Amino acid sequence: MTVSQDIFRKALLDAEQPVPSGLLDAQGDAAGTRFSVYRNNVVVSLSEALATAFPLVRKLLGAETFGKLAAIYVRAHPPTSPLMMFYGKDFPEFLDGFEPLQHIRYLSACAQLDFAMRRSYHAADAPPVATKELQDPERVMQARFSLAPSAVLLRSVWPLYDIWAFNMLPSAPKPRAIAQDVLVARPEFDPQPHLLAPGMADWLDKLNSGHALGPATSEILEIYPDFDLTASLALALNAQALVDYTTKETP
């Protein structure tokens, strides 16, 4: 007797479900015990994958609490794609609705940062901004850039960068009570988060939507008079977050 994939999948991730009727092992015997072991191994493996994918959330909750949470999540959200590097994409939304953790209101934002780091790591490579675009001041102000495939912008009402630094870097100060925008970029092999000054996220959005550097900067300065173009451009270029507009690729 064959077992439908739907029945098998439901039983595989729900310990309350009985072993599917007609499921046999290699010797043709009922696969009760072996299926139970396999079911447990699948949940453990997916939970471990989630812990690797969300290191900041794991650090905030502790290994034991995260393990319990991960088991709940993987049973409710089995993988829908063989590309496991993107498993957990909806984990931030899951945390938003998980009542026992509602007192940690910034947890979902931290999960978004974790996922952005993984998305950046697996993004396509792209050539950096051509040097010729930076040599002539007038040419620079008319240049058009876009975000590299590995660059991810996160806007947050929480001190997101400070939370990450305090938990993941040695000797980092305690988070400040301020909202922080973050740029995740991959200048070499490992993605890094960067704290953005006020207005820089809007400026990068304008560049990414096709605005030339000069007009984009002028519009930002009307809203953020203290916006520092030199510092912002240096950060974006050093992080290799920008590419020539004509080489824009979709992540």
Side-chain angles (χ1 to χ4, degrees), residues 102-241:
Q102 290 303 294
H103 61 290
I104 312 178
R105 295 186 293 164
Y106 52 81
L107 199 59
S108 175
C110 293
Q112 291 175 3
L113 177 55
D114 275 333
F115 189 79
M117 298 276 276
R118 186 151 47 107
R119 174 184 164 188
S120 177
Y121 181 83
H122 291 286
D125 292 329
V129 171
T131 306
K132 65 180 181 180
E133 297 287 359
L134 308 174
Q135 293 175 341
D136 184 339
E138 292 186 6
R139 183 184 179 92
V140 168
M141 299 310 286
Q142 296 304 316
R144 297 177 186 272
F145 307 111
S146 57
L147 289 176
S150 58
V152 184
L153 277 177
L154 295 174
R155 301 171 184 271
S156 180
V157 299
W158 304 103
L160 185 56
Y161 179 85
D162 283 2
I163 293 172
W164 174 84
F166 182 69
N167 285 277
M168 308 303 285
L169 299 178
S171 304
K174 291 184 178 181
R176 295 162 286 177
I178 56 174
Q180 292 178 332
D181 295 331
V182 174
L183 168 69
V184 175
R186 193 191 67 207
E188 293 182 352
F189 301 106
D190 295 321
Q192 293 294 326
H194 302 271
L195 176 61
L196 299 183
M200 188 172 174
D202 291 341
W203 177 72
L204 288 171
D205 268 342
K206 289 183 179 298
L207 294 180
N208 196 48
S209 63
H211 288 64
L213 182 63
T217 303
S218 296
E219 291 180 22
I220 292 301
L221 284 169
E222 292 180 1
I223 306 172
Y224 301 93
D226 295 329
F227 178 75
D228 189 331
L229 172 60
T230 301
S232 297
L233 188 58
L235 188 158
L237 292 174
N238 289 335
Q240 295 189 17

Side-chain angles (χ1 to χ4, degrees), residues 46-60:
L46 290 175
S47 296
E48 290 176 348
L50 209 65
T52 300
F54 293 90
L56 177 55
V57 176
R58 183 179 184 273
K59 182 69 177 293
L60 290 167

Side-chain angles (χ1 to χ4, degrees), residues 15-81:
E16 300 298 322
Q17 293 287 331
V19 176
S21 177
L23 190 64
L24 306 178
D25 63 17
Q27 285 71 44
D29 299 323
T33 301
R34 292 195 176 188
F35 181 80
S36 297
V37 171
Y38 179 63
R39 171 161 54 190
N40 181 69
N41 288 343
V42 168
V43 172
V44 170
S45 296
L46 290 175
S47 296
E48 290 176 348
L50 209 65
T52 300
F54 293 90
L56 177 55
V57 176
R58 183 179 184 273
K59 182 69 177 293
L60 290 167
L61 294 179
E64 183 177 355
T65 298
F66 186 91
K68 294 177 181 178
L69 175 70
I72 295 172
Y73 173 81
V74 300
R75 289 189 171 101
H77 300 268
T80 58
S81 167

